[in-house]
Amino acid sequence: MNRKHPILITALALLSGPLVAQHSPLTARANTLADKLEPKVIEHRRYFHEHPELSNREVKTAERIAQELKKLGIAVETGIAKTGVVGVLKGGKPGPVVALRADMDALPVTERADLPFASKAKGEYNGQPVGVMHACGHDTHVAMLLGAAEVLASMQKDLKGTVKFIFQPAEEGAPAGEEGGASLMVKEGVLDKGPKPEVIFGLHINSQTEVGTLKYRPGGIMAGADVFRIRVKGKQVHGASPWHGVDPVVTSAQIINGLQTIISRQVELTEDAAVITVGSIHGGVRNNIIPEEVVMEGTVRALNTRMQQQIHEKIRLTATKIAESAGAVAEVEIQAMAPVTFNDPELTEKMLPTLQAVAGKDRVVHMKAMTGAEDFAFYQQQIPGLFVFVGGMPKGQDPAKAPAHHTPDFYVDESGMKLGVKTLTNLTLDYMERRSKR
């Protein structure tokens, strides 16, 4: 992954010296506006929560977002990467272009939370009827970015630059056979067409982080994610006489065990963490028939791009050679889903005082890396980016008992969204202010 962004020399060099960890008159004004807008942001969130739509199907969501942006006088483009929406707000003064991103798709999860605005929506996923729920907080991301858009639009004449609001579909992954998400947004020119941003900021609500807290990490903050499929071909035979065939079931078991030694014995764990998980295995139809083939599928998570590529090579070598030793054949397919979510170290250092100013220094936490993945990484491959987590857990709750993301009981304390709005606006304003002082 190329981390040598050309604009680092011109843009980040201008951010020399730490930002002052205090509110400027403009950010103070933005924070006051964010406080006043909190009820509206909550209203936005409840609408999107009650009306969720699956990946690449966010038609009504996109329509609502476009309507809200147009009300603010923001130029809007729709239909990017199927249902994506982009708004452009040109400030009254010259300056850099800053991109802000929110994802807007829901998950095939049936909601159990007892909320007056709980989702009752139904949909279809991989041909199966499913409940649909914002079980990862993307509804809050949309609401917070709409709130930030309203704050920034209200001070348009004072903005020292341009803001590009990116509302992205399919972060959770496009349906089978379709393209989608941040990779398709980038492919269709979201960062190149129109005003070209030199940095991008994004955030994610977290149901197990207390309200009022921000979490950050320079470098790899979330893992790159890949999907692998291994097809083991043997020779079908009666289960009573396995010596007449080649057993792909036993071979697959050996391959699964072998894959675990890649992490434990073949990569340098002191450098970065990585995970190989086999999540499904299918083969055979009857207890006394050794089948002709077995198919297993799994995921690779890595926080280091070089290590990620090394793991791919080791998976192919391990599977094919173990199969060969048993007289079987292993076919390995590995599909990249998302790169490492990589916070540009220089940008993170320069914007850290902004995070501390908006949340309070004691409420900004340097976090451990997560092995979950986030396709915000595709934007960070093109321009420097900073991705942070904002707390959505009620104060005083035990994080271990808080409902996790992607579950039917997922819950977000809406009072945490105000900090998200302030974070997005403060990052934008502070970056513009520093860049204007050439």
Side-chain angles (χ1 to χ4, degrees), residues 237-246 288 290:
V237 70
H238 196 296
S241 52
W243 51 88
H244 291 310
V246 176
N288 64 347
I290 292 173

Side-chain angles (χ1 to χ4, degrees), residues 1 17 73-74 94 108 125 137 150 175 183 192 265 274 287 320 323 327 378 394 399:
M1 190 181 300
I74 294 173
Y125 183 76
E150 185 158 353
S183 61
D192 298 319
R265 293 294 181 271
N287 69 292
T320 56
F378 285 103

Side-chain angles (χ1 to χ4, degrees), residues 34 41 52 68 105 150 175 187 217 261 264 270 291 358 389 391 393:
V41 172
E68 294 298 326
D105 54 328
E150 185 158 353
K187 182 178 178 180
R217 179 184 178 86
T261 68
S264 66
T270 57
V358 75
F389 287 88
M393 182 185 73

